[in-house]
């Protein structure tokens, strides 16, 4: 399949099956915003939960934070965002459309017109806090979650009684007034980030940076991203930001971007730049007492920062497969193109679907009861409409790993048929043992 076609298929599937809708669509939309529908919110929550489990729950050296989106304007002055968070903007002299300079050629892509000279454009979205829209009340919607962690550094250190090295994880919304949002949910004006700020002694910075690079790559691969779809791009010395001692982007084979690769996550050794900047601007010391040297040190910080929305897009693209002529054994599905979303079970919106063979109450009543019992533990769908082959295909298309068929024999033998999405193997499992059977399969 052509890469461009794959993107169209994902956008269409996302809309048709309720993963992702255009934001404010009823009123013509709002550019750069997207809404996650009934299945999208489940996928997104599962990605965030898998990230939190790996990076907080399973490690003894990480704590969490949920800082406010609105912060004192002084934060953005100290961090450098009011001075440096600019993109160069060019405007077409003929049609007046505006573009990011580094994303277009010499002529306007819409009408071929000439561009004006580039002007710097600040990406932060301004707002006023309080009933008066004065300059004093002006602040910004945060363009990254990271600053909340730096500003709360001392409070976290004191209350969690941590010693170096330790890290803080945070998931939350960020906002950037992107000049050209696009490529579906890849570049948007409102998005979510999963960020880690890992604090360590300065001389351990590069070792820990390398460990995080490997750990983050392993996380993506562990959730099913294929080797051929993911790689590192390590910045050359002359490409590094002035505060960075090392930066790597984790790139995904998106069906757009430079040479078909674009950024999924950034990992940087930000040195002591951020804590020092906030210490200077606030007049408060932001350091850790080192028992060995009996001195205060300002830690270095390693920052793995991933976009949730880009993760959703990458996992959908990576999992999408079409099978010409179908693969089901049921006759009604022959010769059709079948879509299978081979999502990792940890990410699949529904872990199982209960499908009674007929919608007669003899089968539908106990089948509904079975679905209700399983819902104590997992998100479980129930579907009794259309042929069983069609219902399997509906579940394959949204990535449900297990379909549970309740048939007339189930009334006699108290067993159901469990069908595996990927292998299509069918197991006959006793209802009493079904939860344990699924739990063993869904162990991750
Ligand atoms: N605190 C570091 C930081 O914010 P970044 O590279 O600007 O670094 C980190 O952003 C991640 O956030 C990116 O790798 C990307 O996944 C996501 N991201 C950034 N801007 C985005 C946008 N406009 N739309 C969607 N995701 C975005």
């Amino acid at each position: 399949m052509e890469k461009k076609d794959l993107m169209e298929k994902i956008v269409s599937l996302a809309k048709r099956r309720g993963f992702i809708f255009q934001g404010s669509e009823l009123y013509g939309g709002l550019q750069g915003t997207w809404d996650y529908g009934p299945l999208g919110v489940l996928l997104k929550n599962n990605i965030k939960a898998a990230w939190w489990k790996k990076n907080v729950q399973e490690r003894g050296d990480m704590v969490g934070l949920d800082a406010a989106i609105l912060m004192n304007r002084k934060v953005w002055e100290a961090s450098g965002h009011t001075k440096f968070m600019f993109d160069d903007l060019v405007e077409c002299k003929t049609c007046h459309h505006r573009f990011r300079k580094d994303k277009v050629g010499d002529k306007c892509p819409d009408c071929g017109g000439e561009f004006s000279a580039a002007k710097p454009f600040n990406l932060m979205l301004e707002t006023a806090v309080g009933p008066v829209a004065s300059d004093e009340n002006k602040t910004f919607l945060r363009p990254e979650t990271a600053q909340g962690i730096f500003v709360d550094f001392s409070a976290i250190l004191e209350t969690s009684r941590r010693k170096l090295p330790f890290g803080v994880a945070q998931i939350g919304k960020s906002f950037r007034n992107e000049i050209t949002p696009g490529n579906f949910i890849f570049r948007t004006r409102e998005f979510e980030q999963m960020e880690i700020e890992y604090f360590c002694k300065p001389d351990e910075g590069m070792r820990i940076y390398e460990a995080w690079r490997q750990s983050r790559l392993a996380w993506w691969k562990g959730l099913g991203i294929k080797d051929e779809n993911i790689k590192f791009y390590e910045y050359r010395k002359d490409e590094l930001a002035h505060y960075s001692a090392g930066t790597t982007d984790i790139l995904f084979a998106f069906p757009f971007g430079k040479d078909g690769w674009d950024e999924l996550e950034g990992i940087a050794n930000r040195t002591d730049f951020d804590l020092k900047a906030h210490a200077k601007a606030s007049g408060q010391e932001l350091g850790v007492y080192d028992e060995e040297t009996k001195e205060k040190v300002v830690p270095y910080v390693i920052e793995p920062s991933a976009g949730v929305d880009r993760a959703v897009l990458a996992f959908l693209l990576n999992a999408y497969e079409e099978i010409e002529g179908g693969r089901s054994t049921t006759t009604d599905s022959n010769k059709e193109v079948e879509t299978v979303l081979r999502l990792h079970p940890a990410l699949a919106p529904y872990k199982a679907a209960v499908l009674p063979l007929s919608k007669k109450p003899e089968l539908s009543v106990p089948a509904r009861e079975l679905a209700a019992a399983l819902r104590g533990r997992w998100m479980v769908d129930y579907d009794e409409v259309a042929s069983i082959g069609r219902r399997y295909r509906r579940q394959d298309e949204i990535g449900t790993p297990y379909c549970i068929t309740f048939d007339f024999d189930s009334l006699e033998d108290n067993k159901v048929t469990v069908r595996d999405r990927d292998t299509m193997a069918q197991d006959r499992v006793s209802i009493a043992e079904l939860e344990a059977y699924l739990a063993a399969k869904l162990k991750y």
Side-chain angles (χ1 to χ4, degrees):
M1 194 187 316
E2 290 276 322
K3 282 197 153 192
K4 182 175 71 51
D5 295 343
L6 175 62
M7 191 68 177
E8 272 170 27
K9 301 239 162 142
I10 293 295
V11 175
S12 143
L13 174 76
K15 184 171 182 181
R16 183 161 39 83
R17 297 305 310 269
F19 281 93
I20 301 158
F21 311 124
Q22 167 72 59
S24 312
E25 196 168 18
L26 191 62
Y27 292 97
L30 177 67
Q31 216 198 351
T33 65
W34 296 90
D35 296 344
Y36 287 80
L39 295 183
V41 68
L42 296 176
L43 172 58
K44 205 179 186 205
N45 284 346
N46 291 341
I47 292 171
K48 291 189 277 185
W51 184 89
W52 194 269
K53 181 166 180 273
K54 184 75 184 170
N55 295 303
V56 182
Q57 187 183 319
E58 291 179 3
R59 296 176 64 117
D61 58 352
M62 293 281 302
V63 293
L65 180 72
D66 182 12
I69 289 173
L70 296 171
M71 300 183 84
N72 191 311
R73 183 174 44 167
K74 288 179 185 155
V75 171
W76 308 114
E77 285 158 11
S79 66
H81 283 85
T82 48
K83 258 205 199 127
F84 298 115
M85 202 175 190
F86 287 90
D87 275 343
D88 276 340
L89 179 149
V90 285
E91 185 173 325
C92 171
K93 288 179 183 166
T94 314
C95 71
H96 299 289
H97 288 173
R98 293 172 160 202
F99 302 91
R100 231 173 94 173
K101 190 174 170 239
D102 60 342
K103 297 282 171 196
V104 281
D106 296 340
K107 298 261 186 272
C108 171
D110 293 344
C111 75
E114 299 269 313
F115 284 131
S116 62
K119 273 189 277 186
F121 176 80
N122 194 293
L123 294 187
M124 285 198 293
L125 274 155
E126 239 176 71
T127 189
V129 177
V132 185
S134 66
D135 260 5
E136 238 166 73
N137 288 347
K138 194 174 97 175
T139 190
F140 305 94
L141 301 182
R142 67 179 178 200
E144 61 171 13
T145 68
Q147 296 304 321
I149 300 179
F150 300 131
V151 169
D152 286 347
F153 176 74
S154 290
I156 295 168
L157 186 68
E158 256 167 53
T159 54
S160 65
R161 299 168 55 240
R162 295 282 149 174
K163 289 202 171 74
L164 295 180
F166 77 98
V168 184
Q170 175 164 225
I171 301 176
K173 290 268 184 167
S174 294
F175 302 82
R176 294 184 193 175
N177 200 7
E178 298 282 358
I179 298 169
T180 37
N183 285 325
F184 193 31
I185 52 173
F186 180 82
R187 179 167 287 103
T188 56
R189 292 187 171 135
E190 174 176 343
F191 55 97
E192 243 180 316
Q193 290 183 308
M194 306 184 280
E195 296 203 291
I196 292 164
E197 305 300 330
Y198 193 87
F199 301 98
C200 63
K201 289 185 186 170
D203 60 0
E204 286 192 305
M206 285 323 274
R207 181 183 62 78
I208 290 176
Y209 163 71
E210 182 53 32
W212 272 111
R213 282 178 8 124
Q214 299 308 330
S215 164
R216 293 301 306 136
L217 185 68
W219 181 81
W220 292 103
K221 289 189 179 181
L223 287 170
I225 299 288
K226 298 169 195 154
D227 286 353
E228 68 264 29
N229 282 342
I230 196 162
K231 68 176 184 187
F232 283 145
Y233 175 75
E234 187 160 19
Y235 286 48
R236 295 188 313 266
K237 282 256 170 325
D238 62 306
E239 291 176 306
L240 292 176
H242 62 283
Y243 51 76
S244 171
T247 299
T248 298
D249 284 345
I250 297 184
L251 306 180
F252 179 81
F254 286 106
F256 47 78
K258 211 170 131 218
D259 314 322
W261 292 91
D262 220 323
E263 180 184 337
L264 194 52
E265 169 163 3
I267 304 162
N269 176 351
R270 297 179 62 100
T271 67
D272 53 10
F273 172 80
D274 305 275
L275 288 180
K276 277 195 172 155
H278 285 298
K280 188 166 171 229
S282 67
Q284 298 195 31
E285 222 181 323
L286 296 176
V288 180
Y289 183 72
D290 185 340
E291 306 278 354
E292 278 171 29
T293 59
K294 312 279 178 229
E295 280 177 4
K296 271 226 164 175
V297 286
V298 180
Y300 267 31
V301 62
I302 313 304
E303 179 192 66
S305 170
V308 181
D309 311 80
R310 288 190 191 178
V312 170
L313 184 55
F315 283 122
L316 286 174
L317 288 162
N318 182 77
Y320 189 89
E321 196 179 315
E322 278 186 354
I323 297 148
E324 292 285 341
R327 56 173 196 156
S328 302
T329 42
T330 42
T331 48
D332 69 328
S333 65
N334 283 347
K335 298 198 171 43
E336 278 183 30
V337 174
E338 262 181 54
T339 303
V340 186
L341 206 54
R342 298 190 192 274
L343 287 171
H344 188 287
L347 304 183
Y350 288 111
K351 307 302 175 204
V354 176
L355 315 172
L357 198 63
S358 132
K359 53 181 174 196
K360 289 197 179 113
E362 313 174 58
L363 295 191
S364 71
V365 170
R368 276 180 196 278
E369 278 170 12
L370 182 59
L374 295 173
R375 283 185 184 132
R377 191 143 176 188
W378 299 288
M379 285 301 301
V380 172
D381 200 7
Y382 174 86
D383 187 4
E384 59 180 28
V385 181
S387 73
I388 192 73
R390 194 163 285 275
R391 281 182 279 161
Y392 280 152
R393 291 203 301 283
R394 279 208 285 257
Q395 296 299 330
D396 287 347
E397 196 183 43
I398 61 168
T400 309
Y402 298 100
C403 282
I404 300 161
T405 311
F406 196 103
D407 56 26
F408 288 98
D409 288 342
S410 306
L411 297 171
E412 305 297 323
D413 64 3
N414 285 315
K415 288 182 175 173
V416 285
T417 301
V418 182
R419 170 191 179 267
D420 183 298
R421 175 196 72 199
D422 294 332
T423 62
M424 296 206 303
Q426 304 206 353
D427 274 352
R428 195 80 183 154
V429 180
S430 104
I431 292 171
E433 285 162 18
L434 182 62
E435 189 173 330
Y437 173 93
L438 288 174
K441 296 263 186 197
L442 293 167
K443 213 160 152 230
Y444 36 75

